[in-house]
DNA sequence: GATAGGGCTTCCAGTTAATGGAAGGTCAAG
DNA sequence: CTTGACCTTCCATTAACTGGAAGCCCTATC
């Protein structure tokens, strides 16, 4: 299967698939004309990658997960460890963002948002923030 | 004031302050020896930048906010618009992350995490995700 | 006066995960 | 045989820094 069809099937841009080949995540065969010839196994891996990336795993985590995915003798605990670390990072990001939101929405509600120059948002950014 | 002292005061690495000069956010004077000589106004701007960045504003947003900050005739509504757009982006990111967390933690709770190879996390990533 | 240290300077390269675009080869239809 | 849609590679760019090399400057100590 050519790259365009693969892109449609797995929901990744062709550019991204070429990039994944560049960094060694997939190794499609080549036709005589030089076109990439993707096999069923390549499609599985790309689908796997698309989903793992959508869940926010880094490329390096994806590489590790893919290796485990292909290792029939893997221990599920290895996978769980990676997933749990990632969950912790997600939680940390959510906390960060919620703290930002609290501070910023507090500033926004205090701002009249009119034609006058007096602005609690700018004041809040220039004075000490009660974070 | 030299860059090291400024870095300590405003809580930004010296590297970052030089970078901010590179992209035109601050324009410190220079001493005869070529060292940057930061004035009180530079410190205010850098403090402002540090706080806005900590709230997740992009550099370009910071540039716009800084311009408004220095514009005595600004309308507070201009600031509020930027802040509100940013709030929306924060909310969108939080939603994204919470969806990721839901899917991933579901997969994780189903995984035994033992020595056996059977792993619902990898299965979930290779099959269709119930996102 | 020599030297050692710490701080300062510039400039170049690398990070993440792609994305955009140029120049050019290939294929199927009409 | 030409047109248009694919495909190829390669280079540059994105955001916001960060790391490191090579080298100047300043102060203190021997």
């Amino acid at each position: 299967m050519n790259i365009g069809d693969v892109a449609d099937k797995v929901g990744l841009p062709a550019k991204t698939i070429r990039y994944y080949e560049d960094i060694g995540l997939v190794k499609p065969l080549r036709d005589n004309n030089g076109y990439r010839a993707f096999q069923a196994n390549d499609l599985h891996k790309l689908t796997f990658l698309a989903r793992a990336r959508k869940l926010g795993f880094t490329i390096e985590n994806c590489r590790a997960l893919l290796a485990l995915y292909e290792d029939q003798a893997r221990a599920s605990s290895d996978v769980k460890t990676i997933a749990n670390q990632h969950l912790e990072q997600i939680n940390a990001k959510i906390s960060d963002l919620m703290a930002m939101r609290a501070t910023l929405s507090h500033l926004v509600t205090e701002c009249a948002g009119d034609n006058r120059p007096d602005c609690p948002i700018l004041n809040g950014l220039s004075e000490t923030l009660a974070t």
Side-chain angles (χ1 to χ4, degrees), chain A:
Chain A
M1 196 183 291
N2 280 352
I3 199 168
D5 297 327
V6 175
D8 289 346
K9 274 221 169 178
V10 307
L12 289 173
K15 274 270 184 193
T16 300
I17 297 173
R18 288 195 196 98
Y19 171 69
Y20 286 172
E21 183 186 8
D22 267 8
I23 63 174
L25 291 178
V26 283
K27 303 191 190 353
L29 300 173
R30 297 293 178 127
D31 278 340
N32 289 333
N33 57 14
Y35 286 18
R36 289 168 182 83
F38 293 87
Q39 310 299 308
N41 184 37
D42 295 320
L43 289 187
H44 293 148
K45 285 165 91 172
L46 286 169
T47 304
F48 184 97
L49 285 169
R51 287 178 183 149
R53 287 290 299 128
K54 205 173 160 194
L55 282 178
F57 284 99
T58 64
I59 288 285
E60 286 319 305
N61 275 155
C62 288
R63 197 188 297 279
L65 288 172
L66 205 52
L68 292 169
Y69 174 62
E70 301 212 295
D71 175 8
Q72 294 306 318
R74 79 215 160 202
S76 68
S77 62
D78 292 342
V79 182
K80 193 165 183 171
T81 299
I82 296 177
N84 267 324
Q85 283 170 1
H86 183 43
L87 260 183
E88 270 180 39
Q89 288 169 13
I90 289 176
N91 282 326
K93 276 188 199 166
I94 290 174
S95 302
D96 267 15
L97 286 168
M98 285 177 39
M100 282 182 204
R101 178 169 66 182
T103 304
L104 192 55
S105 64
H106 172 67
L107 292 177
V108 163
T109 55
E110 295 206 335
C111 175
D114 55 19
N115 284 336
R116 287 171 299 153
D118 178 52
C119 179
I121 300 172
L122 294 181
N123 291 343
L125 285 171
S126 61
E127 292 157 17
T128 301
L129 275 182
T131 315

